[in-house]
Amino acid sequence: MSTDYKFEGWLGKDKQCAQGQMEWGEFEPKTWEEHDVDIKVECCGVCGSDVHTLSSGWEETPYRHEIIGRAVRVGTEVENIKVGDRVGVGAQAGSCLKADCSECSNGLEAYCMGIGSTNTYGSIYPNDMGKSYGGYSTYNRTHSHFVFKIPDGLESADAAPMLCAGATVYSPLKQNGCGPGMKVGIVGVGGLGHFAVLFAKALGADEVVGISRKAGKKGDVLRLGADRYIATDDDKDWATSGARSLDLIISTVSSEDIPLDGYLGLLKVRGTYIQVGLPDGGKLPLVSAFLLIDNAIKIGGSAIGSPGEIEEMLQFAVDKNIKPWVEKRPMEDANQAIVDLQAGKPRYRYVLVNEA
Ligand code: NAP
Ligand code: ZN
Ligand code: ZN
């Protein structure tokens, strides 16, 4: 069946596209299957990962995730969504979903071994089913397992960035016991980091510490709910004065050039450091083995959030009245939004909005 609506969106055709040169155009969504949902896009968050993907030089790299909209077509096999529902899609649009996949059958779809995770943007579906084109667009088509009903208590522009940025920090905070009795540091206060401050506080951590480069974000970060602020470029002796003060650190920083030993030294004995920011080159700095051993420190990582965690997070956000700081911009501004994101300008997440 063909549709009476057109799939159009911002397309990245070469490496220059991240410098404000995406082009608007029509695209062919993945081949329709009866477990799919077509979504008329209302808005879409602008994530740091969008920049990595756009500047990677993938041909016809298409954009993006953190989508909210209305379900306009729902396959006969779909059980969780009805036409007209307000729905969302995060960074993941597919995985094998087989009963014999130890990850998919245990709520770990983000780590699927079967076919891996298919991204909402810039991925090629298995079996020649086409490409994923993300949400800087008019419509999006995604497997219903990765489409979430948005609770009424959440505004669309607030819910959109939760689906990737929010889930990516909610998951490791929960998995590593963030709550009463814990002191938690958040490194890098951008889109992900500002959600991490909000969620760590709402989860009841005893102390939440925003760890940023410059002193300039201090007021914002304390207003977000942090109890303490460290500016690694501007505070002298931050590493020694804060040594052994935290149980858990979530790092959203995407640079290879970070004072990692300094961050690790902030952890108490048996503390845990979780990396979620993805440096372009994919590597972190070398770490001192003495530091790890002398403090019994664990280093780990975490990928997005799986569907079960995303549903839990959305309800948690309603229950705790989580209010992210988003700046809405018209969908036409996608190119400038990507440029401004790289300049560190959002406070703290841009959300592109389609006119009604
Ligand atoms: P963002 O809004 O640009 O925030 C990144 C923050 O990192 C900045 O606000 C800045 O914080 C800090 N930073 C940037 N450059 C730095 C540098 N050279 N040295 C030290 N700190 C630096 O981006 P985002 O959307 O939050 O995404 C953050 C990262 O997470 C990206 O790499 C993205 O690809 C990745 N990500 C990973 C997953 C996952 O599944 N693990 C999911 C989504 C996104 P301060 O100004 O406070 O220093
Ligand atoms: Zn993202
Ligand atoms: Zn799987």
Side-chain angles (χ1 to χ4, degrees), residues 103-325:
E103 288 79 25
C104 286
S105 59
N106 283 299
L108 294 168
E109 293 92 327
Y111 305 95
C112 170
M113 262 288 273
I115 57 169
S117 167
T118 305
N119 293 333
T120 303
Y121 51 92
S123 272
I124 296 175
Y125 283 97
N127 309 320
D128 264 350
M129 298 304 273
K131 286 185 185 177
S132 60
Y133 281 86
Y136 294 7
S137 59
T138 53
Y139 289 87
N140 170 272
R141 176 173 293 165
T142 296
H143 188 306
S144 54
H145 188 79
F146 298 95
V147 179
F148 310 98
K149 248 190 106 164
I150 304 301
D152 287 341
L154 284 179
E155 278 181 40
S156 295
D158 292 344
M162 282 185 199
L163 296 169
C164 174
T168 299
V169 294
Y170 181 81
S171 171
L173 285 169
K174 280 297 295 273
Q175 292 302 326
N176 291 284
C178 177
M182 288 271 260
K183 298 193 175 192
V184 180
I186 308 300
V187 180
V189 187
L192 268 62
H194 105 286
F195 270 111
V197 171
L198 291 170
F199 282 137
K201 202 67 202 163
L203 285 163
D206 285 356
E207 187 182 42
V208 177
V209 183
I211 304 165
S212 188
R213 288 165 296 173
K214 304 285 177 198
K217 286 184 181 173
K218 181 172 183 179
D220 282 358
V221 177
L222 296 181
R223 272 194 294 282
L224 281 165
D227 303 286
R228 194 151 63 86
Y229 185 80
I230 295 174
T232 54
D233 286 358
D234 293 343
D235 294 351
K236 270 183 97 187
D237 305 328
W238 63 271
T240 40
S241 62
R244 288 206 177 170
S245 61
L246 301 171
D247 300 285
L248 171 66
I249 291 176
I250 307 288
S251 174
T252 72
V253 168
S254 51
S255 172
E256 292 185 326
D257 182 20
I258 50 171
L260 184 53
D261 279 353
Y263 300 154
L264 295 173
L266 300 177
L267 288 170
K268 296 185 202 169
V269 171
R270 298 206 172 138
T272 302
Y273 174 95
I274 301 290
Q275 181 70 27
V276 296
L278 276 161
D280 259 338
K283 294 262 199 295
L284 289 175
L286 288 172
V287 170
S288 158
F290 285 110
L291 183 69
L292 293 184
I293 292 166
D294 290 348
N295 298 282
I297 285 166
K298 296 180 282 295
I299 300 185
S302 185
I304 54 172
S306 289
E309 290 175 307
I310 292 178
E311 272 165 1
E312 180 189 305
M313 170 201 63
L314 291 171
Q315 193 53 50
F316 180 78
V318 174
D319 295 345
K320 296 288 180 177
N321 200 16
I322 300 283
K323 189 72 188 158
W325 293 16

Side-chain angles (χ1 to χ4, degrees), residues 53-72:
T53 324
L54 280 165
S55 47
S56 71
W58 297 350
E59 221 176 304
E60 288 273 333
T61 303
Y63 297 96
R64 300 320 316 200
H65 52 297
E66 303 191 341
I67 302 161
I68 300 284
R70 291 277 165 194
V72 292

Side-chain angles (χ1 to χ4, degrees), residues 96-97 101 104 112 114:
C96 80
L97 300 178
C101 171
C104 286
C112 170

